[in-house]
Amino acid sequence: MEVNILCIGAGYVGGPGMAVLAQKCPHCRVTVVDIDAKRIAAWNSDSLPIYEPGLEEIVLQTRGRNLFFSTAIERGIRENDIIFVSVNAPTKTFGVGAGMAADLHYWEKTARQILKHSQSPKIVIEKSTLPVKTALAMERILKGVGSGINFEVLSNPEFMAEGTAIKDLEYPERVLIGSRETESGLKARDTLVEIYLTWVPREKILTSNIWSSELSKLVANAFLAQRISSINAISALCEKTEADVGEVAKAVGMDSRIGPKFLQASVGFGGSCFKKDILNLVYLCRHYSLEEVAAYWESVVRINEYQQERFILNMLQAMFNTLSGKKICLLGFAFKANTGDTRESPAIFIARRLLEEKAEIVISDPHALTNARCDMEGVEGRISYEGNPYDALRGCHAIAVLTEWEQYRSLDFQNIFEGMVKPAFIFDGRNILDHQRCFDIGFNVYPVGKPPLTHF
Ligand code: UDX
Ligand code: UDX
C-alpha cells in the first residue's frame, strides 16, 4: 500500500529528513512543500539549497521517483494524510518574550492552513524543536472549530546534527515519538512507528507522552550545549594556570560516567538550535516561576557569549592592543565543519567585533561564503571573501581559525607564513592545528585553553 506523506518546510530538517525517508521507504510517496519558491526551485535543480555530505546522491536517487518538491501547499494538505511540519520557530524579536520565547506565528499559520484545506483525517507531526505544549495549541486550532475531521498531533523531534545529517538519519541513536495516550492517539503513533520500522530497529524507537517528547528535545540540546560551555569555562581557567584544556578534557572524559564527546573547547557553539532552544527553556522556566532553574540554564548561553568575547580580547592583547588597519583572515565561517550553514556562527560575532576594532577581514570557507555574504550584508568595514585559503592569507597579520574544516589541518603553513606580515599570529579557535609545528615555522600561536607559544 502506498503511504502518502507531506512535509511542510524544506529546510535543514525537512529536506534531508524527507530525502532519507523516501530512500528508505520506497512504498512512501513523499512531497516536501515550502512557501519559499526559490528554495523549492533549488531542491529541484542541480544545485541543492543546502550543503550536507551524502545528501545530493540520495536526492538524485529519489527525486521524481517517490520524493517531490513543490510549492503547492494546499494541494499537498488535501492529498496527504500524514503531515510532518518542520517550519522554523525562531526566537521572538518583538513584544512579550522578545529575545527569549519562540516565535510561533509560522506554526499557527501552518496549523490554520492544515485545518482549512483538510478534507480527510490527518496525522500532524511536529518535527521542529518547539516549546513544551505547542502540540496543545496545535490541537486547539485543529479541533476547535468542529470541522468533523479527526486530527491527531504527534511530536517526533529530529535529533540529527548538521554535517552528519545523513548518517544520523540513516542510523539514528533513537527515534522519539510522543502522542496522546488516547485510543486514536496511540493508533496515530503506531502508524508512524510502522514507517520508521522500515529502517530503524524497534528497540531504538521510543514512545512517550507528548509533553515528554517535546521537552526531551529541548533538554537534549541544552545538555549538549551545557557540556561545551562547561569545557569552555574551564578553558578560561586553563589559560590562567598553564593547564591544557585538551589534557583536562581527555582525563575527565575517560570517566565513563562523563564520556569523551562534546568536550572540545572552542570559540563557542553556534548553529540554529542551541541558543534558541536554551532560551526557550529559560523562558518556559520563568513562565512557571522557576527562577533558579532558568538562571542555571541561562548561564550556558552567557558563558558562550563570554567565550566569544574572550577570543577577541585575547587577539587584541596579543597583537599589542590594536587591531586597527590589520588584516585578519577568518579561516572558516560555517558554525561547524561539513556544512555551509552559518546561523548563529561564532564567526559572525567575531567578524563584527574585528570590524569594530577597525581591522580589515578576509573571510574564507569552502562551503559557506554565500551565507557569509548575506550575514555581513550592510555591516560597515573592509571585508573581502576568498575561497582559496592561500589567496585569503596572503598579506595578512593574523589567522583566526573559526571552523574545524579538516582541510585546514594540512595547509602548507610554511608557505603561508612566508606570505604574511610579521610578526604573524595564529588564533586557533578550534584547536585543530599542529601548534608546535606552526610555532617552529615562526608563528605566534594562541590556542583555546592552552599556553600560547610565542617568540616574544
Ligand atoms: C530549524 C531547526 O533545525 C528546528 O529544530 C527548529 O525548530 C526550526 O529551525 P530548519 O529546517 O533548520 O529548522 O529551518 P529552516 O532551514 O529555516 O527551514 C524552515 C523552512 O520552513 C524554510 O524553508 C521556510 O521557508 C519554511 N516555511 C516557513 C514554510 O514553508 N512555511 C512557513 O509558514 C514558514
Ligand atoms: C545540534 C544537536 O547536536 C542535534 O542533536 C540537534 O538535532 C540539533 O542541534 P548541530 O547544531 O547541527 O546539532 O551541531 P552540533 O554538532 O551539535 O554542534 C553545535 C555547535 O557546537 C557547533 O558550533 C560546534 O562547533 C560546537 N561544538 C560541538 C563545540 O564547540 N565543541 C564540541 O565539543 C562540540
Side-chain angles (χ1 to χ4, degrees):
M1 188 194 69
E2 191 175 76
V3 182
N4 291 322
I5 294 175
L6 179 73
C7 175
I8 305 179
Y12 287 86
V13 170
M18 292 303 123
V20 170
L21 179 67
Q23 185 205 34
K24 297 291 180 187
C25 303
H27 64 290
C28 293
R29 187 178 198 281
V30 184
T31 307
V32 188
V33 292
D34 201 291
I35 43 170
D36 184 341
K38 259 174 49 199
R39 212 165 207 189
I40 291 297
W43 279 111
N44 281 321
S45 76
D46 291 339
S47 155
L48 301 185
I50 63 178
Y51 170 72
E52 188 62 51
L55 174 65
E56 196 171 49
E57 289 86 328
I58 297 178
V59 171
L60 288 178
Q61 260 175 40
T62 49
R63 196 173 55 191
R65 182 189 81 183
N66 65 333
L67 177 67
F68 303 89
F69 293 95
S70 151
T71 50
I73 301 180
E74 297 170 7
R75 199 177 81 206
I77 294 170
R78 273 198 307 276
E79 292 179 355
N80 294 278
D81 297 331
I82 298 177
I83 304 177
F84 286 94
V85 185
S86 63
V87 304
N88 43 340
T91 303
K92 249 183 115 177
T93 52
F94 55 89
V96 175
M100 280 285 208
D103 180 349
L104 293 172
H105 87 273
Y106 294 138
W107 269 88
E108 177 156 346
K109 198 190 78 188
T110 303
R112 288 182 193 280
Q113 238 175 348
I114 295 174
L115 175 66
K116 186 166 168 202
H117 300 288
S118 291
Q119 296 161 352
S120 54
K122 308 284 176 196
I123 299 176
V124 179
I125 306 159
E126 299 176 343
K127 200 87 194 92
S128 320
T129 308
L130 294 160
V132 189
K133 297 276 166 161
T134 303
L136 186 63
M138 285 291 261
E139 285 175 355
R140 285 185 176 153
I141 291 168
L142 292 170
K143 296 182 176 181
V145 293
S147 63
I149 296 170
N150 188 46
F151 293 98
E152 281 305 324
V153 180
L154 300 176
S155 159
N156 172 219
E158 183 49 67
F159 291 101
M160 60 95 168
E162 288 175 36
T164 53
I166 300 304
K167 180 178 106 326
D168 296 345
L169 288 161
E170 287 180 333
Y171 306 99
E173 290 188 348
R174 80 299 210 187
V175 167
L176 178 58
I177 303 174
S179 67
R180 287 290 198 175
E181 280 145 331
T182 56
E183 195 185 330
S184 56
L186 296 176
K187 192 163 162 250
R189 180 194 76 184
D190 291 345
T191 304
L192 188 55
V193 169
E194 275 310 309
I195 293 172
Y196 278 109
L197 275 175
T198 320
W199 80 100
V200 181
R202 187 173 287 276
E203 65 275 14
K204 300 214 165 176
I205 303 179
L206 278 183
T207 55
S208 73
N209 89 35
I210 195 160
W211 319 128
S212 309
S213 172
E214 288 181 330
L215 184 57
S216 299
K217 178 61 206 273
L218 285 185
V219 172
N221 276 351
F223 272 51
L224 289 168
Q226 181 229 39
R227 282 175 73 90
I228 304 169
S229 278
S230 296
I231 200 70
N232 281 343
I234 295 304
S235 76
L237 184 58
C238 288
E239 286 167 29
K240 299 285 183 205
T241 56
E242 291 174 50
D244 176 325
V245 76
E247 292 175 353
V248 174
K250 186 165 183 198
V252 169
M254 279 173 80
D255 184 328
S256 66
R257 294 169 300 175
I258 297 172
K261 294 184 182 162
F262 265 66
L263 290 180
Q264 174 67 49
S266 65
V267 59
F269 60 74
S272 72
C273 293
F274 283 174
K275 182 173 167 198
K276 166 176 77 66
D277 293 347
I278 294 176
L279 292 178
N280 236 310
L281 188 64
V282 169
Y283 187 75
L284 269 170
C285 294
R286 294 231 159 93
H287 172 79
Y288 292 108
S289 300
L290 302 171
E291 188 49 48
E292 285 75 6
V293 185
Y296 173 71
W297 287 108
E298 197 168 24
S299 71
V300 172
V301 175
R302 297 290 158 255
I303 288 288
N304 198 50
E305 289 164 353
Y306 168 74
Q307 187 73 351
Q308 295 175 44
E309 181 61 24
R310 234 167 52 71
F311 189 79
I312 291 290
L313 294 180
N314 280 345
M315 286 181 89
L316 245 178
Q317 204 175 22
M319 294 175 76
F320 322 115
N321 294 311
T322 174
L323 300 176
S324 183
K326 290 180 181 164
K327 198 170 163 192
I328 297 171
C329 176
L330 308 191
L331 265 193
F333 205 85
F335 81 98
K336 64 183 283 197
N338 299 319
T339 177
D341 192 356
T342 59
R343 290 176 295 176
E344 298 292 336
S345 178
I348 300 173
F349 174 83
I350 303 292
R352 285 173 176 266
R353 285 288 287 108
L354 291 175
L355 293 169
E356 270 169 35
E357 295 294 338
K358 304 256 180 282
E360 174 182 349
I361 61 173
V362 187
I363 298 176
S364 189
D365 192 288
H367 287 283
L369 288 189
T370 309
N371 284 331
R373 279 200 173 87
C374 294
D375 297 327
M376 298 309 290
E377 208 175 85
V379 180
E380 297 266 317
R382 295 169 70 193
I383 315 174
S384 54
Y385 302 86
E386 179 52 66
N388 182 321
Y390 294 101
D391 293 337
L393 284 159
R394 203 164 300 120
C396 284
H397 295 71
I399 306 173
V401 181
L402 300 183
T403 311
E404 70 282 21
W405 286 104
E406 190 55 37
Q407 54 263 52
Y408 293 159
R409 292 177 198 268
S410 49
L411 291 175
D412 178 351
F413 281 97
Q414 182 67 52
N415 182 341
I416 288 169
F417 180 73
E418 280 156 21
M420 284 179 65
V421 178
K422 311 296 178 317
F425 293 85
I426 294 178
F427 300 90
D428 187 354
R430 296 289 181 172
N431 285 351
I432 54 167
L433 304 184
D434 182 339
H435 298 146
Q436 186 61 45
R437 188 155 177 278
C438 292
F439 170 74
D440 292 342
I441 289 171
F443 284 103
N444 297 296
V445 186
Y446 291 78
V448 174
K450 297 171 194 256
L453 299 169
T454 71
H455 298 282
F456 306 124

